[in-house]
Amino acid sequence: MASPRKPAKKTASAKAPPGNGMHSFAVHTDLPAAKAASRVLAARQAARGARAAGAAPAALATAAMDPESAAAEYLQRALQSAQMPDFTDPQGTSGASEFMRLGTENIPLTDSRIVKYRQTVNRIPIYGSLVTVELDHDNNCLAINSSLGAPKGLSAVARVAPQAALELAAEQSGNKAAELKATPRLNYYFDRMKQAWALAYIVENVPKRSRSAQAMGHVQAALFDYVVDAMSGKLIAALPRTASAALVERALDGQGVERAFTVERNSSVSSLLNRELNIATYAFRFADPVADFARLPGTAVKRTPPKAWPPAAVSAHANAELVGRFLRDVVLRNGIDNAGSTMVSTVDCVVADESQTPREWLNAYWDSEARQMVYGQRVRDGGRPPFSIAAMLDIVGHEMFHGVTDGTARLEYAGQSGAMNESYSDIFGVLIGNAGVADRSQWQWQVGIGFSADGEPLRDMHNPARCEQPAHMKDYLHSGRPTEKNDWGGVHTNSGIHNHAAYRIMAASSGGQPVFSHRELSALFYLALTQHLTRTSEFADSRRAVLLVAGTLFRADPPSLQRRKAAAIQRAFTAVGVL
């Protein structure tokens, strides 16, 4: 979560952000513009052996296939079809791509299933590549979405040993190579600063814990992925991961509001534990979660009457329950990791640094190594108890969705993909925070009100300029190579562009009524994030993803309503310069 201290205002450059090296393509067979694609991807019961030599491609006999075989047929047919000239192997004659299947996922929200692939060349994965083939339950193709790379002419043989890459990652992170559990893996990686492909080792999930005075107030990410040139042995990039018997009791939270929440009671002792949603809340006793990382999650919060529940812990627990129900009931996800793992929160975290205000730490974050939430607090005047960041539902939703992103799209936390990482968390913070507000005109579009003592929000999706964020690509802030000093390429600044597009989608109306319901908005952004985006995705990829999801999600709507919803999405992204 960004610091409440605002960076000095900078003059934005009008040049386009550096690209991610990917060739993108998307088609949805239900959209009017996809008639040719629909013919190519037609799936009917036809005998494949009855194709006449030289005849037009026969319809695919996919209904009797398993989804993976059907998806592979569609993918190859689309790549080879002259009627889909924009969808080709970008490798051309330099060595055909292969597609490694990543898995198949059933999507209850759209009653469809998606088969995912990673592009490989010379059996080496292309970092950030992704192909999704979406099918209905009769194996009819609904959509294809792709981000493909073209690392032409590169060697497939490394000159540097994997151990050297591991040792460099250890050196950069302050670890000993023997202590790292990571395995360096070869990838073709696109260096955005050089705008060139390289054969590189990716060393994932390397722990690094430090706090810099120049880090704009936030804790450096607990985990990094290191990219090491496999030919020269030099570091290409250090990529931060995102900075996750029952009874109902009532108590005041950190806002002074009475909350109802689930506890577990054993004799006279109650614990902040919800087994239905698998939520547990801990206290850190005002220790530093960076310096004392090994002590996380801390001490389980318990109460023996007449002792009162700590307000900070009540906030964390009750708000985690709201996020857990949103995941389970709205987007049909089984917890943050979709596997039902415990949603852990730790409150009462502070900074040990003597130069900072005692017992205060203006931060909250999803710890991707410990797989839990960590909450700081703000000291208040007049002897009042500290204000816990866990009391802010939109911040809780924001940070927990970093955990969802970390386990799905895993958007790089740098540059444009990092800004989108932040934006998607803001989107879900707003959706969760406004879930009970029926009147769209009464929705709160500001994120993080109360985070700082002056009452100013951290971000405003309706008016990004209020928080010194751009609202259009022409004002995209260029910071050079992403580093900790420049907030990893302005991830908390440039997120305003994608946030404003999302605001326009959420606020879109027709005839005085919202174009999208709350549930539809939640499904749109959730499926775009978790099914169609990948590590190096950019704002334009998000536009394409949201439109693809809309094509499937609303395929049963009347055609006029489908067009209205698609037009609202297109207008929103166009209005912020994302084409």
Side-chain angles (χ1 to χ4, degrees):
M1 174 52 57
S3 163
R5 295 188 293 273
K6 295 179 179 177
K9 194 169 184 178
K10 300 178 183 179
T11 302
S13 168
K15 67 179 181 179
N20 64 356
M22 292 295 177
H23 299 255
S24 300
F25 174 83
V27 62
H28 198 290
T29 57
D30 281 349
L31 297 178
K35 291 181 179 179
S38 297
R39 289 192 295 270
V40 173
L41 300 174
R44 303 184 186 93
Q45 289 297 329
R48 295 173 63 195
R51 299 176 182 175
L60 298 181
T62 56
M65 296 181 182
D66 59 84
E68 293 77 14
S69 298
E73 287 268 14
Y74 287 124
L75 177 57
Q76 291 304 318
R77 190 178 180 100
L79 284 168
Q80 296 166 10
S81 173
Q83 296 182 59
M84 299 174 68
D86 294 332
F87 187 43
T88 58
D89 183 349
Q91 279 291 108
T93 59
S94 298
S97 299
E98 297 176 341
F99 297 94
M100 177 179 66
R101 192 172 72 240
L102 300 177
T104 303
E105 186 171 348
N106 289 317
I107 312 297
L109 286 166
T110 53
D111 193 27
S112 62
R113 46 196 171 194
I114 291 179
V115 184
K116 293 185 177 182
Y117 298 89
R118 177 78 70 237
Q119 180 194 11
T120 68
V121 174
N122 301 320
R123 297 187 178 182
I124 297 174
I126 294 182
Y127 182 94
S129 65
L130 181 68
V131 178
T132 62
V133 180
E134 186 171 19
L135 310 173
D136 66 15
H137 283 280
D138 292 323
N139 281 347
N140 295 299
C141 184
L142 298 173
I144 294 178
N145 184 27
S146 70
S147 290
L148 302 177
K152 299 179 180 179
L154 290 184
S155 173
V157 180
R159 293 178 182 171
V160 174
Q163 181 63 25
L166 190 69
E167 291 173 355
L168 180 57
E171 176 188 341
Q172 292 290 319
S173 61
N175 290 286
K176 295 180 180 179
E179 296 174 346
L180 296 187
K181 300 177 182 179
T183 300
R185 301 188 187 279
L186 282 175
N187 280 249
Y188 288 118
Y189 179 85
F190 189 76
D191 186 339
R192 298 193 192 206
M193 300 309 297
K194 294 183 177 180
Q195 289 288 288
W197 288 95
L199 180 67
Y201 287 109
I202 309 295
V203 188
E204 293 188 340
N205 304 332
V206 178
K208 178 180 180 180
R209 301 179 192 94
S210 67
R211 184 183 287 108
S212 167
Q214 298 174 311
M216 297 178 63
H218 19 255
V219 167
Q220 190 164 304
L223 297 181
F224 274 68
D225 293 345
Y226 289 92
V227 184
V228 179
D229 193 306
M231 308 306 284
S232 68
K234 295 182 178 179
L235 183 70
I236 295 177
L239 304 172
R241 298 283 295 281
T242 308
S244 266
L247 297 172
V248 175
E249 293 198 12
R250 293 180 178 274
L252 296 181
D253 69 2
Q255 304 271 30
V257 177
E258 186 179 70
R259 304 289 294 276
F261 49 93
T262 299
V263 303
E264 187 162 288
R265 183 174 296 170
N266 182 6
S267 185
S268 62
V269 179
S270 297
S271 302
L272 286 183
L273 181 64
N274 182 328
R275 292 195 184 274
E276 177 193 6
L277 294 171
N278 206 4
I279 291 169
T281 302
Y282 296 78
F284 212 47
R285 297 182 177 179
F286 308 105
D288 187 321
V290 177
D292 299 314
F293 176 84
R295 289 175 51 197
L296 285 173
T299 305
V301 180
K302 300 182 178 182
R303 182 183 82 94
T304 303
K307 183 181 178 181
W309 286 110
V314 170
S315 294
H317 197 70
N319 285 337
E321 288 185 335
L322 290 176
V323 175
R325 291 192 183 97
F326 175 87
L327 290 167
R328 182 191 66 186
D329 301 336
V330 179
V331 298
L332 310 184
R333 185 177 181 86
N334 186 11
I336 290 174
D337 64 355
N338 207 24
S341 298
T342 305
M343 295 170 62
V344 176
S345 299
T346 299
V347 298
D348 298 342
C349 298
V350 298
V351 169
D353 188 345
E354 295 180 359
S355 67
Q356 301 218 20
T357 304
R359 297 168 62 85
E360 180 171 274
W361 183 43
L362 288 172
N363 212 337
Y365 68 96
W366 167 260
D367 191 306
S368 52
E369 183 177 8
R371 310 300 296 171
Q372 69 157 94
M373 280 300 308
V374 177
Y375 296 105
Q377 60 183 4
R378 172 168 54 79
V379 171
R380 296 190 288 186
D381 296 332
R384 293 179 296 167
F387 176 81
S388 174
I389 307 305
M392 305 166 66
L393 177 58
D394 58 348
I395 297 299
V396 174
H398 172 108
E399 297 298 343
M400 285 188 165
F401 254 87
H402 275 314
V404 174
T405 300
D406 193 49
T408 55
R410 195 168 165 167
L411 291 160
E412 275 187 4
Y413 202 67
Q416 202 170 148
S417 56
M420 200 153 64
N421 192 320
E422 280 296 320
S423 177
Y424 266 97
S425 274
D426 278 351
I427 289 167
F428 287 105
V430 164
L431 285 169
I432 293 169
N434 289 295
V437 183
D439 185 352
R440 196 66 53 86
S441 68
Q442 298 301 310
W443 275 27
Q444 176 57 263
W445 302 107
Q446 297 171 2
V447 178
I449 298 175
F451 192 86
S452 57
D454 60 11
E456 285 295 306
L458 293 172
R459 289 175 289 281
D460 188 332
M461 298 181 74
H462 173 235
N463 180 21
R466 174 177 179 175
C467 300
E468 299 187 11
Q469 287 188 298
H472 195 280
M473 286 300 293
K474 64 181 175 63
D475 297 317
Y476 186 95
L477 178 66
H478 296 274
S479 305
R481 181 180 292 277
T483 65
E484 183 183 0
K485 292 181 180 180
N486 63 24
D487 189 29
W488 304 110
V491 298
H492 290 96
T493 300
N494 292 320
S495 61
I497 298 169
H498 193 267
N499 271 1
H500 194 57
Y503 158 76
R504 286 175 170 270
I505 293 171
M506 291 191 277
S509 64
S510 178
Q513 297 297 319
V515 173
F516 303 99
S517 70
H518 178 273
R519 188 173 291 271
E520 288 173 339
L521 290 169
S522 301
L524 267 178
F525 290 112
Y526 171 75
L527 293 175
L529 170 67
T530 61
Q531 299 303 321
H532 293 289
L533 298 182
T534 183
R535 300 185 185 211
T536 59
S537 292
E538 300 184 331
F539 295 162
D541 298 304
S542 182
R543 172 183 176 137
R544 192 176 69 252
V546 174
L547 281 169
L548 281 177
V549 172
T552 299
L553 189 63
F554 308 127
R555 66 187 186 278
D557 287 351
S560 60
L561 184 55
Q562 292 183 50
R563 290 192 293 271
R564 188 180 310 142
K565 290 176 176 178
I569 295 168
Q570 291 169 330
R571 284 196 301 269
F573 280 102
T574 300
V576 302
V578 175
L579 306 176

